Amino acid sequence: QVQLVQSGAEVKKPGASVKVSCKASGYTFSTYGMTWVRQAPGLGLEWMGWISAYKGHTNYAQKLQGRVTLTTDTSTSTAYMELRSLGSDDTGVYYCARGTAEADYWGQGTLVTVSS
Amino acid sequence: DIQMTQSPSSLSASVGDRVTITCRASQGVRNYVAWFQQKPGKAPKSLIYFASSLRDGVPSRFSGSGSGTDFTLTISSLQAEDFATYSCQQYDSYPLTFGGGTKVEI
């Protein structure tokens, strides 16, 4: 069955970077893209961007452009999301989800806390 | 950016009730709307895509309808496990955007 397993919770200081991983199994990794979505505490879902697993094409949310980088490693079926220059408003749960438009399977989420 | 406005933001219902949640797009998104269910501390679960197509394994009491700017998610007979927050999403154009969510409470 399709599974997306994300890395564990992170605590970062303002200005630092975080890199979250998402290991896929149960399907052919290169045939699907990966979307990243985040959710601030008590708020709604926010699309961050997507990456095509095969050729690495990306599409980022404009508000995160320049701070976020999505990558994949097809040899390990793993997708990565790196976010730089963290601020307190980056605190939240980060999800990977299979697909580049509407996502069918989601990872369990990774809590990123930005605090001094 | 396309805004997705959900209503109501919350509702109280009982087991067996018929529940309808609406989502209005600020501009036409054709049929490119998905609906998700999210329980506290859990990842969203995909229920419906392309406005009315039910995901495999999702109970048939869930249904979606609409096109253009107005969409609805209906739960025909609410079950105990359906108490959750429901969100719509448009994927017609970037950036993809979500509605603010509807919390369905007992």
Side-chain angles (χ1 to χ4, degrees):
Chain A
Q1 73 282 19
V2 174
Q3 280 194 307
L4 301 175
V5 179
Q6 299 183 222
S7 49
E10 302 263 12
V11 179
K12 297 291 182 181
K13 293 193 183 304
S17 299
V18 69
K19 191 169 186 176
V20 177
S21 66
C22 170
K23 184 168 177 60
S25 61
Y27 71 98
T28 303
F29 183 72
S30 58
T31 60
Y32 288 83
M34 196 73 75
T35 287
W36 289 83
V37 172
R38 68 179 181 177
Q39 187 169 35
L43 298 182
L45 300 164
E46 179 187 9
W47 178 78
M48 300 179 68
W50 60 253
I51 182 167
S52 67
Y54 180 60
K55 291 198 171 184
H57 295 146
T58 55
N59 188 336
Y60 298 126
Q62 189 164 13
K63 70 172 285 187
L64 296 174
Q65 199 92 28
R67 287 208 298 138
V68 65
T69 301
L70 303 181
T71 55
T72 59
D73 182 345
T74 53
S75 69
T76 59
S77 299
T78 303
Y80 298 91
M81 184 284 300
E82 181 180 30
L83 188 61
R84 299 175 292 278
S85 302
L86 291 169
S88 58
D89 56 352
D90 292 316
T91 291
V93 179
Y94 288 72
Y95 296 101
C96 60
R98 189 179 77 163
T100 54
E102 45 83 17
D104 52 4
Y105 291 91
W106 293 61
Q108 83 277 19
T110 296
L111 175 62
V112 175
T113 303
V114 182
S115 174
S116 55
Chain B
D1 298 3
I2 296 175
Q3 287 195 323
M4 302 296 284
T5 303
Q6 278 184 246
S7 60
S9 56
S10 66
L11 65 90
S12 296
S14 301
V15 172
D17 283 354
R18 182 182 181 87
V19 169
T20 298
I21 298 166
T22 65
C23 188
R24 174 163 287 177
S26 60
Q27 63 190 72
V29 295
R30 296 179 283 181
N31 286 64
Y32 296 111
V33 164
W35 289 94
F36 298 91
Q37 176 195 67
Q38 190 174 21
K39 296 182 179 179
K42 299 294 185 183
K45 174 186 175 184
S46 177
L47 299 176
I48 285 168
Y49 63 101
F50 204 57
S52 60
S53 296
L54 204 64
R55 284 285 181 202
D56 288 347
V58 174
S60 59
R61 63 180 179 272
F62 290 93
S63 64
S65 64
S67 67
T69 59
D70 294 305
F71 300 87
T72 60
L73 173 71
T74 299
I75 309 172
S76 60
S77 178
L78 197 67
Q79 300 301 300
E81 60 268 30
D82 300 337
F83 291 96
T85 297
Y86 295 85
S87 299
C88 60
Q89 178 212 5
Q90 67 81 19
Y91 54 101
D92 184 61
S93 63
Y94 292 102
L96 308 188
T97 47
F98 293 86
T102 296
K103 187 173 184 179
V104 176
E105 301 175 294
I106 300 172

